Amino acid sequence: MQYEVVLPAAGSGKRMGAGQNKLFLKLLEKPILIHTLEVFQQDPSCTGIWLAVKPEERSYIQEMLEQFKITKVRGLPDGGAERQHSVHSCMKGMQQVDIVLVHDAARPFITHDIIANLVQNAHEFGAAIAGVRAKDTMKKVRNGVIEETVDRDSLWMIQTPQAFQFDLIVEAEDVAEKVGFLGTDEAMLVERLGHTVHIVESNYENVKMTTQEDLIFGEAILRKRALQINE
Ligand code: C5P
């Protein structure tokens, strides 16, 4: 089943402390942004990529797209002050499609099987998001003191991709914009409409490149995958 993907790539990546857009940092000689784009370039079900960018980085990114032969990008609109604005900026340029996937450009290790699962669930139920079960004991803390231990079985750590039927995410974003609601992910906007959101179990390799140590994990994942291919 086909889909188009929105990749917000207009962040500043302050927590990485790289002094530049963290998506330009390299993992085994290739920019993080290109690793992510290649997943969708190589997925036959992906019919278009929308990339939200900072205006001052647009021409550099366009050069990268040419260099690495990323041909599926349909639009590179300006990103906004918050991630949600960057996603919305892409959605505004998009024509009606069946399924839209929203995925952080900073998560280069997402796999085709998880994407296909998300797309299928979104087709069936309207909205489906990737997540993994919480591994550690989870506690609620206030002012440095434990308030309660939370039942871990019901806790999931949420990632992207998040997949939606086109009309549903358009409505959710329009309503959020109208009332000035800012969520930390797109599912929150859909939840606010009272719509059910399904979860698809992802894996712990789908990490977001956020801080310096993530780059070490990232290169380890790439090396492991290269070994698996050569076995
Ligand atoms: O900062 P963080 O890694 O959580 O951002 C997630 C994704 O959203 C990144 O790919 C980043 O480039 C993007 N983003 C954006 N516009 C913003 C903030 C973040 O496109 N204003």
Side-chain angles (χ1 to χ4, degrees):
M1 180 165 300
Q2 295 188 329
Y3 67 90
E4 290 196 9
V5 66
V6 168
L7 298 174
S12 51
K14 281 201 193 103
R15 286 171 289 178
M16 185 62 82
Q20 60 169 324
N21 188 335
K22 64 181 175 180
L23 300 174
F24 302 157
L25 298 178
K26 290 181 177 162
L27 294 175
L28 300 188
E29 306 303 317
K30 204 184 276 179
I32 292 170
L33 179 60
I34 296 300
H35 282 289
T36 308
L37 283 163
E38 282 183 346
V39 174
F40 297 98
Q41 179 69 28
Q42 289 159 10
D43 183 358
S45 301
C46 177
T47 53
I49 300 171
W50 295 79
L51 205 53
V53 300
K54 287 190 183 158
E56 64 273 24
E57 293 175 350
R58 181 172 289 107
S59 59
Y60 180 60
I61 290 178
Q62 278 170 326
E63 277 170 32
M64 271 204 277
L65 297 179
E66 267 183 41
Q67 185 193 343
F68 290 95
K69 301 191 171 40
I70 305 294
T71 57
K72 287 187 184 174
V73 175
R74 305 262 174 274
L76 290 145
D78 288 357
E82 301 292 340
R83 181 188 169 284
Q84 184 179 316
H85 302 138
S86 298
V87 171
H88 197 50
S89 169
C90 290
M91 292 297 305
K92 280 182 190 157
M94 203 184 272
Q95 306 283 314
Q96 173 97 33
V97 289
D98 288 337
I99 302 294
V100 178
L101 223 75
V102 179
H103 183 58
D104 293 325
R107 288 187 194 267
F109 308 116
I110 187 63
T111 56
H112 290 162
D113 55 336
I114 294 168
I115 293 172
N117 207 348
L118 285 160
V119 171
Q120 182 56 39
N121 273 273
H123 173 71
E124 223 169 295
F125 305 114
I129 65 177
V132 286
R133 293 170 196 276
K135 286 198 234 184
D136 299 323
T137 297
M138 306 297 280
K139 295 185 192 284
K140 215 164 147 186
V141 178
R142 197 181 297 269
N143 300 326
V145 174
I146 308 300
E147 218 172 57
E148 78 175 279
T149 300
V150 187
D151 172 22
R152 188 174 53 194
D153 288 346
S154 64
L155 290 183
W156 288 68
M157 300 189 292
I158 299 307
Q159 308 171 336
T160 66
Q162 303 198 341
F164 307 96
Q165 288 175 7
F166 181 82
D167 292 338
L168 180 59
I169 186 66
V170 167
E171 184 192 352
E173 289 200 334
D174 285 350
V175 171
E177 192 180 35
K178 218 170 277 167
V179 301
F181 176 80
L182 205 56
T184 47
D185 69 354
E186 279 56 51
M188 279 177 80
L189 314 187
V190 171
E191 290 159 36
R192 284 189 80 251
L193 298 181
H195 198 290
T196 311
V197 177
H198 283 245
I199 190 129
V200 163
E201 188 150 17
S202 172
N203 62 47
Y204 297 97
E205 288 190 1
N206 183 26
V207 283
K208 182 153 61 84
M209 297 293 103
T210 305
T211 55
Q212 288 288 330
E213 59 269 28
D214 292 328
L215 302 174
I216 301 167
F217 300 144
E219 292 207 327
I221 290 169
L222 287 176
R223 287 205 178 88
K224 187 196 83 170
R225 289 187 180 180
L227 282 176
Q228 283 167 342
I229 288 169
N230 294 328
E231 264 171 13

